[in-house]
C-alpha cells in the first residue's frame, strides 16, 4: 500500500515538473504562469528569507572560519536558485538584488539580519544559535506555506526547502553540541 502511495506522489511530481518545464521550454519567452498577488508576495518573502540565511552563513564563515557555515551557505544558495527558477516561471523578480548583503525587501528580514548578525558576532556558539533560530523560522514559514499553497510546483519547491531547513537545523544542533 505504501509503495502505491509513493508511486502516485512521484507520478504527480513528475507531471508537475514536466508541466513547468514544458511551459518554459523552447527558444521564445513564454508567458508566466498565472498566480495571485498573495501567493506572489509569499514567494518573494521566502526568497528574501533564503537570502537572509545565505548572507548570515557567509558572514559567520568570515568571522569564525567554520566549515559548517560554508556548507550551509552553499546549500542556501542552491535553495535560492531553485526558488528563483520558480519565481521566473511566475514572472517574479527578487525584491532586492542577491549581492546586496544585509538588504532585504521585507522589514522583518532587515531587523532579523541586524539582530542575528550581532548575536553571531559574539561567539561561535552564538553564531550556531543564530543559524538554528533562522532554520526554525524557515521551518515554521514553510509549513505555513505548504498548508496554504494550491500550485503543485510551489508545493514541490516548498517541500524540498522544508526538508533542507530541517537538515540544516539538525546539522547546526549537532555541531553546536545539542544533539549527540
Amino acid at each position: 500500500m505504501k509503495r502505491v502511495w509513493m508511486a502516485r506522489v512521484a507520478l504527480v511530481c513528475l507531471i508537475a515538473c514536466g508541466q513547468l518545464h514544458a511551459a518554459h521550454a523552447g527558444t521564445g519567452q513564454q508567458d508566466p504562469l498565472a498566480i495571485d498577488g498573495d501567493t506572489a508576495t509569499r514567494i518573494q518573502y521566502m526568497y528574501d528569507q533564503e537570502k537572509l540565511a545565505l548572507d548570515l552563513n557567509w558572514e559567520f564563515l568570515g568571522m569564525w572560519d567554520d566549515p559548517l557555515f560554508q556548507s550551509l551557505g552553499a546549500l542556501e544558495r542552491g535553495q535560492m536558485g531553485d526558488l528563483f527558477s520558480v519565481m521566473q516561471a511566475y514572472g517574479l523578480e527578487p525584491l532586492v538584488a542577491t549581492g546586496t548583503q544585509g538588504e532585504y525587501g521585507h522589514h522583518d528580514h532587515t531587523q532579523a539580519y541586524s539582530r542575528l548578525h550581532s548575536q553571531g558576532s559574539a561567539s561561535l556558539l552564538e553564531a550556531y544559535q543564530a543559524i538554528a533560530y533562522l532554520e526554525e523560522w524557515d521551518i515554521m514559514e514553510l509549513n505555513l506555506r505548504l498548508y496554504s499553497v494550491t500550485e503543485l510546483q510551489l508545493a514541490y519547491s516548498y517541500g524540498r526547502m522544508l526538508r533542507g531547513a530541517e537538515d540544516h537545523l539538525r546539522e547546526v544542533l549537532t555541531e553546536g553540541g545539542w544533539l549527540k
Side-chain angles (χ1 to χ4, degrees):
M1 182 70 163
K2 187 176 181 180
R3 293 178 92 178
V4 170
W5 181 83
M6 290 176 61
R8 287 181 182 162
V9 170
L11 180 60
V12 168
C13 288
L14 287 171
I15 291 169
C17 290
Q19 288 172 350
L20 182 62
H21 177 72
H24 298 287
T27 57
Q29 182 71 9
Q30 301 292 319
D31 291 332
L33 299 172
I35 193 169
D36 66 63
D38 287 341
T39 303
T41 299
R42 288 190 293 265
I43 293 170
Q44 289 172 316
Y45 184 90
M46 289 311 302
Y47 187 83
D48 222 32
Q49 182 121 347
E50 292 302 312
K51 181 185 179 310
L52 171 62
L54 177 67
D55 288 353
L56 286 172
N57 276 292
W58 289 143
E59 285 286 323
F60 295 155
L61 175 63
M63 287 178 201
W64 304 111
D65 195 30
D66 187 304
L68 176 69
F69 299 120
Q70 183 173 5
S71 172
L72 293 178
L75 294 169
E76 295 295 350
R77 184 178 305 278
Q79 287 184 325
M80 282 181 69
D82 290 347
L83 195 52
F84 185 74
S85 295
V86 170
M87 289 175 63
Q88 285 183 315
Y90 289 105
L92 301 173
E93 292 291 327
L95 298 175
V96 175
T98 303
T100 54
Q101 187 102 2
E103 292 182 26
Y104 307 95
H106 294 89
H107 183 67
D108 53 344
H109 291 137
T110 303
Q111 287 183 320
Y113 176 82
S114 295
R115 184 174 50 80
L116 295 172
H117 185 274
S118 177
Q119 176 184 349
S121 299
S123 71
L124 178 59
L125 183 60
E126 290 291 329
Y128 288 156
Q129 289 176 336
I131 295 298
Y133 170 84
L134 187 55
E135 294 300 342
E136 288 173 341
W137 185 11
D138 271 354
I139 291 168
M140 181 192 71
E141 289 291 337
L142 287 163
N143 274 315
L144 289 172
R145 304 295 177 245
L146 273 170
Y147 288 108
S148 64
V149 72
T150 57
E151 295 81 10
L152 194 54
Q153 294 87 355
L154 283 177
Y156 178 76
S157 293
Y158 287 162
R160 285 182 47 163
M161 290 171 65
L162 177 61
R163 286 187 304 280
E166 290 168 343
D167 289 346
H168 300 174
L169 178 59
R170 202 170 8 266
E171 286 182 56
V172 172
L173 293 176
T174 300
E175 191 71 24
W178 296 287
L179 291 178
K180 291 284 179 178

